[in-house]
Every structure is written in C-alpha cells, then in structure tokens.
Amino acid sequence: MVLEGDAELDEDVLEPNTLDLSDGNLAQINKDSLNIVSCNINSILAENRLDEIKVMIREASIDILFLSETKLDDSISVDRFKIEGFNLELNNRDRRGGGTMFYIKNHLTYRRNKNIEYKGFGHMCLDLICDKKIYSINGLYRPPENDHASKDLFLVAMRTILTKLNGRSTYTNMICGDLNFGNIYNFNGGLKEKSLDNEGADLFLEYGYSQLIDVPTRYCNLSTSLIDLFFINKTDNVILNAVLPSIADHLCTLISIKCKNFKPK
C-alpha cells in the first residue's frame, strides 16, 4: 500500500503480507492457481503423518508439496509414501534427520533437474513448465547448526545455487524450505536474531530474491521463530502467500501463482 501526499500513517492499516490460515479455514486459497506448499514434517514415518499430508493436499488444493526432514533412507520402499494422483521425487538421507521430497500432481509437466542440485542441504530442483515458461522450484533443508564452519558452508552452497539459477533462462526461480534462519523477516519484529539472519538475507538480496513469509512459522515451548522461508526472484504472478496448519511442529507455508492452462478442465 502506498500513502500519498501528507496522509497520516495509521498503524491499524499495517498488516503482515502473509495471510495466517493456520486456523484451518482455507477458503481463500484459489483452486485454479498453482499452489505450492513447503513444510517440515519431522519424519514421514510418524504415526498418521501420511494421512495428515493427504488431508492437507486435499483441503489446500496443493499442486506441488515440498517436505523436509522426511527422515527416510533408501531401504524403505517408495510405495509406502505414494499418493494417488501425484508423482513423487525423493532425496533421502537417513532416519535420524534430514531428507527431502516433492509431491507433484501428475498432470503437471516437469522434470527433475539434478544438474542444478547441490550435493547437500537436501537440495532438490524441479523445472515446471507452465504457460510455455519454466518455473524453477527449489527445496532445501538447513539443520540448526550455528558453528562458523556450518554457517560458512551454507553460504557457499547458497551462492553456488543462486549463481546457477540466475544463469538459466527460466521465467521464475523459487527457493523454499526450513533454513533455520529468518527471524529478521518477522513483520512485527521482536524475535531473537538468528546467526544467519543478516548474512543470509543479504545474500538473497544480492541475487535479486524477495522473501515472502513475514509471520512466525514455529512455536515450540517458549520459543517463537520464523525459519520456514519462501524466496522468489519475480513476484508479478504471486497472488497469495500464507501459512497453513502444521503437520508436525512447523506451520506449512504456501504461495499461489497465477498460471494459466495447467489444470485439466
């Protein structure tokens, strides 16, 4: 919102850009848009977890779902996690932590681009074709490690990924996931600064990316944090960004993209 002239600033007008749908009222999600959701699920092996995922997919009209901390290894049959109507892409680690995956509606045209994927942080890259344009959708997970070596490794990895993405002929690049920093983005302030808040934010700005989530995404005991992020280098087609009900101990994050001719009639 732009205030013109000498209009007084009404604090009641200022609100977060992220819509809070964590109460489960998801009626404002447009079923005809491209709905992309990211969530830390803290083990897909947990009791009833897959059922919860299926409910979220249905109620939020999700087209692409990125999950982090799946806690899977390659010994577990992929058949256990298939969902009717969706393709599945995996990047397993082990059952102690980490691991990422994508669910993609099976009418969508996409390819997994492993040439772009960084060998670490659970990075996965999908190239989605919509309106004859390429949308590069990237998911990552960064563990909550705050020693200097771990932070430096992540910054090097992100610079490598961002350089690759910005060197491509894509229409839009997106990066989502639990990155264990981001309190700096909280609209209302007041969250304790995390170790990568400034360096991480500066790096994404340097490469021309906006971060869309500006409300807390995790409430744990007496701790509140904003660590589940959604970066994008072109916001023109974004019609909604929101937080959804949690599946584990993180709220899910959503962006809706205006994209024609990708859903069957």
Side-chain angles (χ1 to χ4, degrees):
M1 177 181 292
V2 177
L3 301 179
E4 298 182 356
D6 297 324
E8 292 186 5
L9 186 64
D10 183 353
E11 292 185 359
D12 292 334
V13 173
L14 299 180
E15 297 179 348
N17 290 316
T18 301
L19 193 62
D20 187 351
L21 304 179
S22 60
D23 62 358
N25 183 358
L26 307 181
Q28 295 187 65
I29 299 175
N30 187 339
K31 294 181 179 181
D32 293 323
S33 60
L34 175 65
N35 296 318
I36 305 169
V37 170
S38 170
C39 195
N40 180 319
I41 58 166
N42 191 22
S43 179
I44 199 169
L45 298 171
E47 186 177 2
N48 298 323
R49 191 73 86 225
L50 189 60
D51 290 335
E52 294 176 279
I53 292 169
K54 290 177 181 178
V55 170
M56 179 67 72
I57 284 175
R58 182 179 67 252
E59 295 186 350
S61 300
I62 297 173
D63 298 293
I64 297 176
L65 175 62
F66 174 72
L67 300 176
S68 61
E69 281 217 276
T70 55
K71 297 184 178 178
L72 292 177
D73 59 35
D74 293 334
S75 70
I76 304 173
S77 172
V78 69
D79 291 337
R80 289 182 57 180
F81 311 107
K82 287 183 177 179
I83 296 177
E84 184 177 358
F86 282 79
N87 292 312
L88 178 61
E89 298 286 345
L90 294 166
N91 187 354
N92 292 338
R93 185 180 167 191
D94 57 49
R95 300 193 198 185
R96 294 173 306 210
T100 53
M101 65 197 307
F102 270 109
Y103 285 103
I104 311 103
K105 272 197 172 174
N106 58 16
H107 65 262
L108 295 175
T109 301
Y110 81 95
R111 74 180 180 98
R112 173 103 175 254
N113 195 333
K114 293 188 177 183
N115 291 327
I116 298 296
E117 292 180 2
Y118 187 85
K119 305 302 181 185
F121 299 103
H123 182 209
M124 301 182 72
C125 176
L126 301 182
D127 286 342
L128 175 72
I129 309 300
C130 185
D131 297 338
K132 299 181 180 180
K133 299 170 183 174
I134 300 175
Y135 291 76
S136 179
I137 304 168
N138 296 260
L140 295 101
Y141 170 68
R142 185 184 84 87
E145 299 169 342
N146 293 315
D147 59 279
H148 287 296
S150 297
K151 291 187 292 183
D152 290 345
L153 179 60
F154 176 74
L155 292 171
V156 169
M158 281 313 313
R159 185 173 293 277
T160 300
I161 293 168
L162 291 167
T163 299
K164 283 185 175 182
L165 292 177
N166 282 12
R168 304 183 64 212
S169 298
T170 54
Y171 180 70
T172 301
N173 298 326
M174 310 173 209
I175 298 171
C176 62
D178 172 6
L179 300 185
N180 274 295
F181 79 91
N183 282 351
I184 194 173
Y185 296 113
N186 189 41
F187 179 84
N188 290 317
L191 298 184
K192 182 179 179 180
E193 182 177 311
K194 289 189 171 292
S195 60
L196 268 175
D197 272 3
N198 290 300
E199 290 176 278
D202 288 347
L203 179 61
F204 280 96
L205 279 175
E206 178 185 340
Y207 281 83
Y209 286 73
S210 300
Q211 203 289 119
L212 301 182
I213 306 301
D214 61 358
V215 298
T217 60
R218 188 169 189 260
Y219 300 87
C220 181
N221 298 324
L222 299 178
S223 173
T224 299
S225 54
L226 197 177
I227 55 179
D228 302 276
L229 308 178
F230 235 120
F231 293 94
I232 190 167
N233 69 340
K234 186 179 295 184
T235 60
D236 300 4
N237 287 352
V238 177
I239 59 176
L240 176 68
N241 50 284
V243 291
L244 310 182
S246 62
I247 293 177
D249 55 349
H250 293 242
L251 297 179
C252 298
T253 56
L254 168 142
I255 66 168
S256 296
I257 304 290
K258 185 179 180 180
C259 188
K260 300 177 181 178
N261 305 320
F262 81 99
K263 291 196 175 183
K265 300 299 183 181

